[in-house]
Amino acid sequence: MYSGAAAAAGPPRRDFISVTLGPEEAVGVGGYNNSKAWRRRSCWRKWKQLSRLQRSVILFLFAFLAVCGVISYTSMEEAWKSITNKSLDEQRTEQEIPGLKLANPAVLPAPQKADAIHGDYPELSLQKPPKPPHVRRGPSNLQIKAPRRDMRLKTRHDTIRAVEELVEADKVEKTEKSIISWRGAVIEPDQSTEPPSSKIKEPEKPSSVEAEDRKEPVPINERQLAVIEAFRHAWKGYKDFAWGHDELKPLSKSYSEWFGLGLTLIDALDTMWILGLKEEFEEARKWVANDLVFDKNVDVNLFESTIRILGGLLSTYHLSGDSLFLEKAKDIGNRLMPAFKTPSKIPYSDVNIGRGTAHPPRWTSDSTVAEVTSIQLEFRELSRLTGDEKFQKAVDEVMKHVHTLSGKNDGLVPMFINTNSGQFTHLGVYTLGARADSYYEYLLKQWIQGGKKENELLEDYTRAIEGVKKHLLQRSEPKRLTFVGELAHGHFSAKMDHLVCFLPGTLALGAHNGLAADHMKLAEALIETCYQMYAQVETGLSPEIVHFNLHAQKGHKDVEIKPADRHNLLRPETVESLFYMYRFTGDKKYQDWGWEILQNFNRYTRVPTGGYTSINNVQNPSNPEPRDKMESFFLGETLKYMFLLFSDDIDLINLDKYVFNTEAHPLPIWVPA
Ligand code: DMJ
């Protein structure tokens, strides 16, 4: 366009004005006459010879130069003044305190001493001085908050204390002291975050909060207090009978071991932080520091230890800023890496974290699809924090590979994948429940974590939701509840796991992040169904699996329960989705539904001597048949989501800044919205 066309169009247009002097006016021509009158006349003649346009341009230039001159004079005068004042100040200070120079003359407030902020957290990272926003970099941490933010915590602690009537003078004094150091109130990352870099770097420490981030405290309410009370009751059982072990057996007042890694304690760390339970947190931290050892000859499940242990440690690191948790996260992360040494790079299900060996289950060389595709948020974050790419590379490869695989049905995936061939196995069965559930959840959440740039993840997610709509959605009778069933070799089954109740929350999160509005509509319909899975049952607690009635029958509800499915493991999924729905809609009915569920947990699963228990029969209120086990996710997820559901503080884990892993451990979004 430029060269050919412009040349053909004739001489170029001039965008400048030339001032040409005639030969007689040239210096030296016509003799040298330097008289004032001659010079004035000659200049005037030249001026008159100029065109009007030329004269205006020259006048404009003069005017412009004059304005510039005035402006620069004023600012230089200011600078001179301040230099003069500064040196006067310095002189004055030196006179008052000989030898002392003002390092930071009264422009910024003097930085607080780290000790004063940390109080009894001596090992927490030191506060960095505030940086201008454009240079803020590095991992996102819960910041050391300025006094106003601590006020919010103070409100929470004061209320808790009031309720418990713990007002002895020395205790109050102690509490006040610890309030300053405790930072479990408003939780939002203040630093911008970046995707992992290829360079190994030192993890950065928390920096201070910007003034504009400070907000008025939101006091905790009665329902949140009830959650705190429930947590404390559960924790009491764990502490008394299972301290440092994986799970509490509240009836037999003992414990069970799965990996032997203090699973409940680690899963509950960030919940304690969020609930503001300082003393409990501190005690647990001590156990992590002194007793948590990963150098053990023990087989752990890659998925479970990633979402609970690695995820729990990473989120606790972010919330507390305490590098102990990052060190432990690195340790377990490294020990899990042998799982990826398979012919297909699809990881094995089990790893011996002491020996550094990995293997599939004894009976198969398959892994579960949900398990190999729901470890990404954690490993990616570990790469970002450590600067070591290997973690992210390993899990990204899995996602890329699964993206290309055949055997999907409109984006729906089978439940198994072979670690040798890398192909899906047991084709033809599709569910949003066990073995596939969090594949869908992590597609969306990785996309959000990475700043909504990884299009393949989004494509796979939106295609899968279309697949759900096409193949798995049905309506029950008599209430016309929308539910997600299963497809087995072309046959629809009206079976829905409680696990599927993560879906309304995930759909709502997607809609909040700009995905189709009909995702939100579907979320609203599905959360109603999940609530009915509780409300239509005798104890008001959902069974593990329900079957929906597709045809109206007199005296039958929508929900049918088979004897083998009527247990309740204190699972979080419905409460999790209620939390998202309340955050995004503000509709109080979601809080009320959650409140009903909490009361029913208290009624049927609470063990008087401490702890809560899974039950075998949600249909028998007079004997729900306690199972004698409190799963770690009750503290890691269920009670945490309850607490957040009842909160009206959107900054208490702001969903534009954090993304929850599938075990409810919040991890920072790399590029917050
Ligand atoms: C948790 O470990 C996680 O939420 C996982 O994604 C599903 N199972 C339990 C809770 O039900």
Side-chain angles (χ1 to χ4, degrees):
M1 162 69 191
Y2 170 70
S3 52
R13 231 185 80 216
R14 285 191 181 177
D15 287 331
F16 58 90
I17 295 176
S18 66
V19 178
T20 317
L21 299 177
E24 70 273 27
E25 283 100 10
V27 177
V29 178
Y32 179 67
N33 181 348
N34 202 24
S35 78
K36 266 188 190 167
W38 185 88
R39 267 185 283 150
R40 222 179 288 131
R41 258 198 324 274
S42 156
C43 282
W44 181 244
R45 203 176 315 124
K46 280 176 202 158
W47 177 252
K48 294 291 276 180
Q49 282 167 352
L50 296 176
S51 74
R52 191 180 295 162
L53 179 60
Q54 287 169 326
R55 284 200 299 249
S56 348
V57 168
I58 291 169
L59 284 174
F60 172 77
L61 284 175
F62 275 122
F64 178 71
L65 288 173
V67 170
C68 288
V70 171
I71 290 171
S72 54
Y73 174 78
T74 323
S75 60
M76 281 179 75
E77 194 186 33
E78 291 283 304
W80 287 330
K81 265 190 201 157
S82 79
I83 289 167
T84 324
N85 290 346
K86 186 180 157 195
S87 57
L88 280 175
D89 279 342
E90 282 171 355
Q91 281 168 25
R92 211 174 301 135
T93 313
E94 275 193 305
Q95 278 162 15
E96 283 162 15
I97 311 166
L100 177 73
K101 288 210 172 177
L102 271 187
N104 205 356
V107 177
L108 295 169
Q112 283 187 46
K113 270 197 164 182
D115 284 350
I117 299 165
H118 286 269
D120 41 9
Y121 281 85
E123 281 148 86
L124 293 187
S125 317
L126 295 181
Q127 181 178 5
K128 275 185 179 175
K131 290 182 205 162
H134 66 280
V135 294
R136 289 196 291 160
R137 289 283 185 276
S140 162
N141 300 310
L142 179 67
Q143 308 305 316
I144 291 171
K145 304 299 180 199
R148 283 186 76 81
R149 190 150 305 184
D150 290 328
M151 280 294 294
R152 188 181 302 218
L153 179 68
K154 182 173 172 172
T155 311
R156 174 174 305 170
H157 271 266
D158 286 350
T159 324
I160 296 167
R161 296 288 177 241
V163 164
E164 297 179 345
E165 299 176 4
L166 293 172
V167 285
E168 308 118 69
D170 59 339
K171 225 165 193 165
V172 169
E173 200 186 321
K174 203 170 155 222
T175 310
E176 288 296 329
K177 188 179 160 223
S178 39
I179 282 163
I180 296 170
S181 68
W182 178 253
R183 290 163 289 136
V186 174
I187 293 165
E188 47 180 311
D190 297 308
Q191 285 175 284
S192 59
T193 45
E194 287 183 331
S197 81
S198 51
K199 277 192 292 166
I200 305 279
K201 61 181 180 194
E202 274 301 298
E204 290 190 27
K205 291 166 189 156
S207 71
S208 68
V209 65
E210 298 293 329
E212 68 271 15
D213 289 340
R214 294 174 205 158
K215 291 171 194 125
E216 283 307 309
V218 178
I220 55 169
N221 55 48
E222 291 294 318
R223 288 179 175 181
Q224 286 179 292
L225 283 171
V227 180
I228 290 173
E229 194 282 324
F231 184 96
R232 282 201 157 140
H233 182 77
W235 191 248
K236 176 187 164 5
Y238 179 74
K239 204 177 145 186
D240 289 352
F241 311 122
W243 185 251
H245 298 285
D246 283 344
E247 290 129 351
L248 167 68
K249 294 177 76 171
L251 293 172
S252 52
K253 300 191 176 132
S254 64
Y255 57 85
S256 54
E257 229 49 304
W258 189 5
F259 310 142
L261 296 172
L263 213 52
T264 295
L265 188 148
I266 299 175
D267 229 358
L269 283 167
D270 57 4
T271 306
M272 290 185 268
W273 187 273
I274 291 166
L275 269 55
L277 299 175
K278 172 187 162 14
E279 279 157 33
E280 290 83 348
F281 180 85
E282 245 182 305
E283 225 177 328
R285 185 204 178 276
K286 265 186 209 137
W287 183 87
V288 173
N290 302 327
D291 300 299
L292 178 59
V293 176
F294 293 128
D295 191 7
K296 271 187 174 173
N297 180 7
V298 60
D299 276 355
V300 303
N301 174 282
L302 170 69
F303 163 74
E304 297 291 358
S305 51
T306 298
I307 64 168
R308 301 186 200 211
I309 300 175
L310 179 56
L313 291 168
L314 287 174
S315 70
T316 308
Y317 166 67
H318 278 293
L319 300 184
S320 69
D322 186 339
S323 58
L324 164 73
F325 299 107
L326 180 58
E327 288 313 310
K328 293 287 178 188
K330 275 194 254 179
D331 190 6
I332 186 70
N334 276 309
R335 290 172 186 278
L336 293 173
M337 287 307 282
F340 296 90
K341 283 190 203 143
T342 69
S344 65
K345 309 236 176 100
I346 297 297
Y348 290 131
S349 58
D350 297 282
V351 194
N352 187 302
I353 52 173
R355 288 203 193 130
T357 54
H359 58 87
R362 234 169 283 137
W363 58 92
T364 175
S365 55
D366 287 351
S367 284
T368 299
V369 170
E371 292 194 355
V372 302
T373 55
S374 312
I375 49 180
Q376 278 65 17
L377 292 176
E378 300 81 358
F379 277 92
R380 283 155 50 112
E381 178 58 11
L382 188 57
S383 271
R384 195 182 67 81
L385 288 173
T386 59
D388 188 344
E389 281 180 320
K390 73 173 178 233
F391 306 110
Q392 170 151 19
K393 239 175 136 200
V395 294
D396 277 355
E397 242 175 84
V398 176
M399 291 314 295
K400 287 206 177 89
H401 178 76
V402 170
H403 175 73
T404 62
L405 279 185
S406 59
K408 291 181 199 158
N409 187 1
D410 290 317
L412 302 176
V413 290
M415 296 188 291
F416 297 99
I417 186 164
N418 190 271
T419 50
N420 293 321
S421 68
Q423 299 299 308
F424 288 131
T425 64
H426 302 78
L427 300 185
V429 180
Y430 303 99
T431 174
L432 265 273
R435 299 205 156 93
D437 49 359
S438 42
Y439 160 73
Y440 304 102
E441 180 188 349
Y442 268 38
L443 286 174
L444 179 77
K445 288 184 172 177
Q446 284 175 82
W447 178 70
I448 292 171
Q449 178 191 43
K452 305 191 212 172
K453 292 181 199 132
E454 295 151 291
N455 292 333
E456 285 184 356
L457 295 166
L458 179 62
E459 265 168 42
D460 288 351
Y461 176 74
T462 49
R463 192 170 301 142
I465 299 306
E466 290 311 304
V468 170
K469 288 193 221 160
K470 187 167 164 192
H471 300 288
L472 304 182
L473 280 192
Q474 270 285 6
R475 289 184 135 201
S476 67
E477 294 294 345
K479 283 201 172 206
R480 309 282 301 150
L481 301 174
T482 302
F483 69 93
V484 182
E486 297 183 355
L487 196 66
H489 310 291
H491 292 288
F492 179 79
S493 155
K495 163 181 179 274
M496 179 164 154
D497 293 353
H498 182 271
L499 287 170
V500 182
C501 288
F502 81 92
L503 187 60
T506 299
L507 286 167
L509 181 65
H512 174 74
N513 278 280
L515 304 191
D518 70 340
H519 285 205
M520 193 62 188
K521 284 268 151 267
L522 182 54
E524 281 164 4
L526 288 174
I527 191 62
E528 166 81 38
T529 306
C530 290
Y531 168 63
Q532 289 298 328
M533 286 164 65
Y534 287 69
Q536 294 196 6
V537 180
E538 288 79 349
T539 55
L541 291 174
S542 170
E544 180 73 356
I545 299 169
V546 299
H547 288 77
F548 285 94
N549 282 318
L550 292 174
H551 307 287
Q553 281 174 279
K554 215 169 165 221
H556 282 257
K557 298 178 186 160
D558 301 70
V559 166
E560 297 285 347
I561 305 166
K562 305 208 163 165
D565 305 332
R566 59 190 183 195
H567 49 287
N568 178 298
L569 304 184
L570 313 170
R571 284 197 192 275
E573 290 76 17
T574 296
V575 182
E576 169 186 351
S577 285
L578 287 171
F579 156 64
Y580 285 104
M581 296 305 292
Y582 180 67
R583 269 285 167 99
F584 297 138
T585 66
D587 188 336
K588 299 261 180 214
K589 81 177 175 204
Y590 298 124
Q591 288 186 325
D592 294 342
W593 292 352
W595 180 239
E596 274 175 39
I597 294 172
L598 179 62
Q599 286 172 304
N600 290 326
F601 276 134
N602 275 329
R603 215 164 274 146
Y604 298 109
T605 71
R606 186 171 161 120
V607 178
T609 44
Y612 288 72
T613 178
S614 323
I615 53 174
N616 261 332
N617 191 352
V618 292
Q619 292 182 294
N620 188 352
S622 57
N623 181 16
E625 299 167 31
R627 273 194 168 189
D628 195 19
K629 184 162 176 178
M630 184 173 78
E631 301 280 348
S632 78
F633 50 69
F634 183 62
L635 299 191
E637 297 194 68
T638 312
L639 291 181
K640 184 190 290 154
Y641 281 131
M642 285 273 187
F643 187 80
L644 294 171
L645 163 66
F646 298 142
S647 168
D648 283 310
D649 183 357
I650 62 155
D651 287 324
L652 187 60
I653 311 292
N654 186 318
L655 290 174
D656 293 323
K657 295 173 179 172
Y658 282 102
V659 61
F660 284 93
N661 85 341
T662 192
E663 189 75 6
H665 298 303
L667 299 173
I669 294 171
W670 293 345
V671 185

